[in-house]
Amino acid sequence: MSKQLSNQATKVWGLLTDPTTTTTYTQTLDITWKIIRETGSLLWLTFCLVLVGFDWFWTQSIGAGKTVRGWVNDIGKPSSDKAPVEAGKVIASVSKNSVSYMLSTARKQLGLPEKEIPAPVEKPVAIAPTPVLPAPVVEPEPTPVTVPTPAVEDTEPAVVVDAASPSESAP
């Protein structure tokens, strides 16, 4: 029995040390690595495609929602409480920046062009022209003029003669 075991070990050792075995295993490992790498790329691109598809669906849904909301707002009375709307806009703005970066990267990976962001469509507001008023006429304020009066010294009292007075006309 020991001779059979020895012969089998020699055969196995010969197969392992054969130069064709080394090249065959090297080629097998190279091919296996290429398959794993290309499968990973396929999975990444599939993820990017799903992400871009979700973005398209999300954009279409938001557009439809805005249209319906505008329609409903035109029917009902406008609300005076704007705080929840403003808070929602701030939260949407913050989350939109991170999502847009991720979507931009996914589009680049797929070789798609950058997404064009349409300008927001707002309902036109009729604005009445403001009348142009003429400039007010400002009249200058009169400045007081001071006239110097001569200084007169009166040493004698003034005598007023009245022609109608009888006491002075009689001798």
Side-chain angles (χ1 to χ4, degrees):
M1 186 115 180
S2 121
K3 190 172 181 154
Q4 286 179 343
L5 184 62
S6 171
N7 286 342
Q8 188 62 36
T10 306
K11 283 182 184 177
V12 169
W13 184 251
L15 284 173
L16 288 175
T17 58
D18 188 21
T20 59
T21 303
T22 306
T23 57
T24 302
Y25 276 122
T26 304
Q27 288 176 350
T28 301
L29 289 175
D30 285 343
I31 295 294
T32 303
W33 177 247
K34 285 181 183 177
I35 289 171
I36 290 171
R37 192 174 65 217
E38 295 303 321
T39 302
S41 292
L42 177 64
L43 291 175
W44 171 251
L45 292 176
T46 302
F47 173 74
C48 289
L49 182 64
V50 168
L51 191 62
V52 170
F54 180 75
D55 175 55
W56 174 84
F57 177 74
W58 184 265
T59 303
Q60 295 300 319
S61 299
I62 294 296
K66 284 182 180 179
T67 303
V68 170
R69 184 179 60 193
W71 178 69
V72 169
N73 285 344
D74 285 344
I75 291 175
K77 293 188 295 186
S79 173
S80 64
D81 186 19
K82 304 245 183 211
V85 173
E86 294 299 321
K89 286 180 182 179
V90 168
I91 292 171
S93 163
V94 168
S95 62
K96 186 177 181 180
N97 288 339
S98 59
V99 170
S100 66
Y101 174 75
M102 198 164 70
L103 286 171
S104 173
T105 304
R107 286 182 177 277
K108 286 178 185 175
Q109 289 286 321
L110 289 172
L112 296 174
E114 287 292 323
K115 182 179 178 182
E116 293 182 20
I117 300 172
V121 178
E122 294 184 11
K123 194 178 202 182
V125 178
I127 300 174
T130 57
V132 178
L133 299 175
V137 177
V138 178
E139 295 198 21
E141 290 185 21
T143 56
V145 178
T146 58
V147 178
T149 56
V152 178
E153 290 185 23
D154 268 343
T155 54
E156 294 180 23
V159 177
V160 179
V161 177
D162 190 8
S165 168
S167 60
E168 289 184 17
S169 56

